[in-house]
Amino acid sequence: MFNRRKNKLMKGTHANLSKGFITGSEKTDWHNNALWFLRAKRDMQRDTIPDWEKLRATAAAIKDHTLSRLPEYLQRFEENAIKNGIQVHWAWDDAELREITASILRENNAKSVVKSKSMLTEECGLNPYLEKEGFDVVDTDLGERIVQLRKEHPSHIVVPAIHLKKEEVSDTFHEKMNTEKGNSDPDYLASAAREALRKDFMRADAAITGVNFGVAESGTVVVCTNEGNADMGVHSKKTVIHCMGMEKLVPGYKELAVFTRLLARSATGQPVTVFTSHYRKPRPETTEHIIIVNNKRTDIFEDPEFRQAMRCIRCGACMNTCPVYRRSGGHSYHHTVPGPIGSVLAPFYGKEKNKDLPFASTLCGSCNNVCPVKIDLAGLLYRWRQKLTDETSPDLSKKIGMDIGSKILKSRTTYSLATRAFRWVPGSVLQSGLNPWNVTAKNGHKERIFPDVPGESFREWYKKNQE
Amino acid sequence: MTVGLFVPCYIDQLYPKVGRDTLEVLEKAGCKVVFLQDPLCCGQPMANSGYESKTRDFEKPFLKVLPEVDYLVTPSASCSYHLSHHLLKPFVAAEELAKVKELTEFLHDIIGPDKIHASFPYRVGLHLSCHGLRGLNLGTPSELKVPYYSKIEKVLAAVDGLDLVVPSKADECCGFGGSFAVFESAVSVKMGCDKMKTMSGAEVSYVAATDMSCLMHLEGVFRAEESTMKVMHIAEILNAGA
């Protein structure tokens, strides 16, 4: 009974979910290489900027400054946006974002919505809510459209369908959009999606976008896309809603320039996104809204250790470089934002259910070095490990192991006794399945073997030869 | 110069030769070496697993010996990193903390590579262990745009006949990660296999690193996959031949 219950609890952990992803080694390699390609492109772009490291330090300093005066900047942003004729709303949490959005749509008699990419609305569960309330919602970013058609979640915050191969996309499009069966030519599939989305754009009543940056000095929201899909919605609909996390602010245009130089270079290794759209004033006869969302951001903001996580500009560079993310896939993180930054944010949204995520890392620190705003991701994961061990229910086998380990390693007497006993354990036992170090695949193939234990320890040798 | 030698728990038990080679390398470099009997472990295995609280008092034997030595040297970058960045940090002033050195860092910064005499005529692939590279700044990590340097390569350049290769993705993590290796074994082993592929692609006979923990993981994968490559700690190369 106990075991069965434990298995059920373990099922959704990163370790178990990544096992499923790695089973097909060929796909894992493909996923790994696809993301490494982005990292390599990022490195090439880095090399075109002589002061790259200075740019990162500047970006971190701007974010820290902005966060240190966030209430002031939010107020300035709101005042300027209102002056521009935009209606500003404040959502305390995910439920408020959903309700405010739905009420704006109802007030404007909008039944169908085209959406451009927004991880914030993913985080807040906007799509399922609107669908339940009877609205028709179409994601218009190609990758997001693919995962929407498959009823999945994005596995990456910038390239949401990176877990899928073109053949899988072809099958989905065949099933949902009646494209040719087996035709997985990317151009063909992209044209098919484009054609279908054009109709959705024409048909929709309202447009929703995410926000990359909010400029306090002008009340402008800035949205970066490669497909122009945000513009297609905003420029053609009478009702426009921008959903913005409250950490997205920058003081002014001068500061914005630092981030537009960093964002696409860090994300996909492009010098800049194809479209960097500045939305400032509603077009005539149009209502334009900005919803500023908190949803736990004040909790992160108030925590002096973790506040730096609020610098994040959601570029995804930490995912692209992460050797664990690249091999385990984004869905193994079971949180809206996967990868290193996701594992730092996730416990704020549920310590118990996300307690495994800060452990889904080797703390190699590569993420720290690619982060354009210099978040100490590995350091924060280390801090979470300590906090979550104190504040959530323990994994008993791990706790007992750590108890025994620390007792043995604390005193020379226990160490000497325990290590002498260790030397009595036959190699056949140490290299068997009883030792969790040894890994054996389902087909019986050994994957990792414990080392042969030498006849004497260094200490024993030293005692004999040196003292 | 008095050097306190800290031999980490797993090196003591599983790779005593690395301890012996470290001792001899330091002695050959002209140091008076004192083997530190009391410190057994830096506490990292527990701390990285979320049980830093179970390593209270682990700092005491280190704090006792630190004032008595000019340097505290250990053949493990991750233990050295853990000592200087976690375990001892709250108790020791920065300049005293700077006495804690990983072996290659010590040889490079304090002794000078010209004092090393060794010979190892083999093709060796360098694995750049994360904590040494990104934690102790032993070289340029591939992510940063900073002028290239490598303390490890400089020290190893003194070894006669050594054909040192730094393969592609040399600074990608091997997948060890402490208890990660056990609790996330699928990803861990996959990372180890991928490291094995880049190393065998570079046609090396040995894989060397500053950390025996990475090498223990890689050795386990090599053995399971029946690779002919062997792992070798940098101390073993620095004490070979001559």
Side-chain angles (χ1 to χ4, degrees), chain B residues 127-232:
Chain B
H127 164 60
L128 296 164
S129 299
C130 303
H131 285 101
L133 188 73
R134 301 190 187 87
L136 300 177
N137 305 318
L138 297 181
T140 311
S142 60
E143 302 91 8
L144 296 182
K145 188 177 168 65
V146 292
Y148 187 83
Y149 73 98
S150 167
K151 294 183 181 181
I152 303 170
E153 284 174 61
K154 270 199 178 156
V155 168
L156 286 176
V159 178
D160 283 341
L162 181 69
D163 179 11
L164 189 71
V165 187
V166 185
S168 66
K169 294 192 187 178
D171 71 353
E172 184 177 56
C173 178
C174 69
F176 171 65
S179 61
F180 177 91
V182 169
F183 294 107
E184 289 264 3
S185 59
V187 184
S188 171
V189 165
K190 178 68 183 142
M191 286 165 74
C193 277
D194 290 347
K195 182 60 77 176
M196 181 180 72
K197 280 179 204 151
T198 59
M199 287 295 177
S200 63
E203 299 179 332
V204 301
S205 311
Y206 293 90
V207 175
T210 51
D211 286 67
M212 212 54 228
S213 46
C214 310
L215 293 176
M216 171 178 160
H217 166 64
L218 290 177
E219 181 188 41
V221 173
F222 292 178
R223 270 182 77 171
E225 300 296 332
E226 294 175 355
S227 164
T228 54
M229 289 187 296
K230 297 264 179 284
V231 298
M232 191 158 260

Side-chain angles (χ1 to χ4, degrees), chain A residues 280-299:
Chain A
R280 187 166 184 172
K281 281 184 174 165
R283 285 173 296 108
E285 293 165 46
T286 301
T287 61
E288 195 158 349
H289 305 257
I290 297 173
I291 309 175
I292 301 172
V293 185
N294 176 16
N295 200 32
K296 315 270 187 204
R297 282 161 179 72
T298 40
D299 294 355

Side-chain angles (χ1 to χ4, degrees), chain A residues 14 29 39 42 46 53 326-327 366 369 382 385-386 403 412 415 423 448 458-459 461 467, chain B residues 12-13 20 37-38 47-48 50 52 54 134 142-143 145 172 181 184 188 190 194 220 225:
Chain A
H14 180 272
D29 290 342
R39 160 71 206 275
R42 172 257 177 215
R46 166 203 66 189
E53 299 305 334
R326 277 188 271 120
R327 288 169 182 84
S366 183
N369 286 347
Y382 180 85
R385 291 181 182 194
Q386 314 311 325
D403 259 331
R412 272 177 73 182
Y415 182 79
R423 245 145 251 287
R448 187 176 60 201
F458 175 80
R459 281 164 189 273
W461 171 84
E467 273 181 351
Chain B
D12 175 46
Q13 287 302 310
R20 296 200 298 273
Q37 300 271 1
D38 284 333
N48 278 5
E52 202 178 53
K54 294 206 183 292
R134 301 190 187 87
S142 60
E143 302 91 8
K145 188 177 168 65
E172 184 177 56
E184 289 264 3
S188 171
K190 178 68 183 142
D194 290 347
E225 300 296 332

Side-chain angles (χ1 to χ4, degrees), chain A residues 313-378:
Chain A
I313 58 171
R314 301 292 192 271
C315 71
C318 60
M319 293 155 212
N320 303 343
T321 201
C322 178
V324 176
Y325 174 91
R326 277 188 271 120
R327 288 169 182 84
S328 67
H331 288 151
S332 63
Y333 293 82
H334 59 82
H335 180 69
T336 313
V337 179
I341 185 65
S343 299
V344 167
L345 298 172
F348 283 101
Y349 298 86
K351 284 184 182 149
E352 195 62 42
K353 70 174 178 185
N354 294 318
K355 66 180 179 182
D356 59 313
L357 293 178
F359 293 90
S361 159
T362 61
L363 304 182
C364 79
S366 183
C367 46
N368 287 35
N369 286 347
V370 296
C371 178
V373 286
K374 300 188 76 162
I375 301 169
D376 178 16
L377 290 155

Side-chain angles (χ1 to χ4, degrees), chain B residues 54-80:
Chain B
K54 294 206 183 292
T55 65
R56 265 180 219 130
D57 297 341
F58 273 52
E59 71 282 358
K60 284 188 178 156
F62 292 98
L63 296 178
K64 199 167 148 244
V65 295
L66 209 50
E68 298 162 9
V69 296
D70 295 312
Y71 292 97
L72 190 155
V73 176
T74 185
S76 165
S78 76
C79 299
S80 174

